[in-house]
């Protein structure tokens, strides 16, 4: 297994598919990375040379935000929404769907978990 950007990647997978297991890299981004290096579609990870691996690391570090950095940025944005008391921040705080999904018949799990949180909180305060 190859350890790359905080994730373990199996060596028998295709490079384009394997790179999508890194948080923040989708299929289109991995295709762009592979095309810029000149790696074919069917190339497996165990067939990659160290110089190609180094260039992949260099490109990803320069162009993309991945793993811990991306998660930190997302959590800071959510905290900012909550602090300015926007509608999205309120939905995040209540653990409801944020992007306009229906909640009358769907999102039962989120609503139930939120209800259980409030009940536990009320019992502690009594």
């Amino acid at each position: 297994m190859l350890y790359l950007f905080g994730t373990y990647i199996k060596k028998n997978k295709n490079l384009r598919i394997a790179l999508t297991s890194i948080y923040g890299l989708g299929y289109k981004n991995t295709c762009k990375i592979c095309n810029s290096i000149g790696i074919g579609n069917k190339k497996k990870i165990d067939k990659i040379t160290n110089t190609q691996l180094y260039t992949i690391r260099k490109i990803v570090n320069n162009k993309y935000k991945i793993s811990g950095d991306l998660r930190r940025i997302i959590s800071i944005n959510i905290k900012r929404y909550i602090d300015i008391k926007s509608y999205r921040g309120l939905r995040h705080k209540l653990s409801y769907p944020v992007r306009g999904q229906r909640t009358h018949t769907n999102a039962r799990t989120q609503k139930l978990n939120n209800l259980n949180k409030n009940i536990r909180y009320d019992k502690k305060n009594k």
Side-chain angles (χ1 to χ4, degrees):
M1 294 188 93
L2 176 70
Y3 188 73
L4 189 65
F5 300 113
T7 56
Y8 287 100
I9 300 173
K10 293 181 181 178
K11 289 193 173 191
N12 60 352
K13 282 189 169 186
N14 289 341
L15 179 67
R16 290 184 183 199
I17 302 301
L19 286 178
T20 59
S21 64
I22 297 170
Y23 184 78
L25 288 180
Y27 185 74
K28 286 191 175 186
N29 290 335
T30 58
C31 288
K32 287 178 187 176
I33 292 168
C34 292
N35 289 336
S36 66
I37 296 172
I39 297 175
N41 291 340
K42 305 283 183 176
K43 190 119 181 190
K44 302 265 185 186
I45 288 191
D46 54 349
K47 303 289 185 199
I48 293 175
T49 62
N50 287 335
T51 56
Q52 289 173 334
L53 194 60
Y54 176 74
T55 54
I56 289 171
R57 284 188 173 134
K58 193 169 142 184
I59 290 171
V60 170
N61 283 332
N62 290 338
K63 288 188 178 181
Y64 303 102
K65 292 186 181 2
I66 54 164
S67 297
D69 295 335
L70 183 61
R71 287 188 178 137
R72 192 176 316 110
I73 289 169
I74 290 171
S75 68
I76 288 170
N77 287 338
I78 290 172
K79 287 177 187 174
R80 182 174 52 88
Y81 288 136
I82 292 171
D83 289 342
I84 64 174
K85 297 180 181 175
S86 68
Y87 181 76
R88 284 177 69 179
L90 177 70
R91 302 296 281 185
H92 274 293
K93 190 175 181 181
L94 295 175
S95 302
Y96 284 165
V98 177
R99 297 183 179 175
Q101 293 93 337
R102 180 184 172 96
T103 57
H104 183 71
T105 57
N106 296 334
R108 293 281 186 203
T109 306
Q110 288 182 331
K111 290 171 85 171
L112 184 64
N113 288 341
N114 189 23
L115 180 67
N116 289 338
K117 273 192 241 178
N118 290 339
I119 290 172
R120 278 187 258 133
Y121 182 72
D122 290 339
K123 286 180 182 178
K124 288 180 184 178
N125 287 340
K126 287 185 179 180

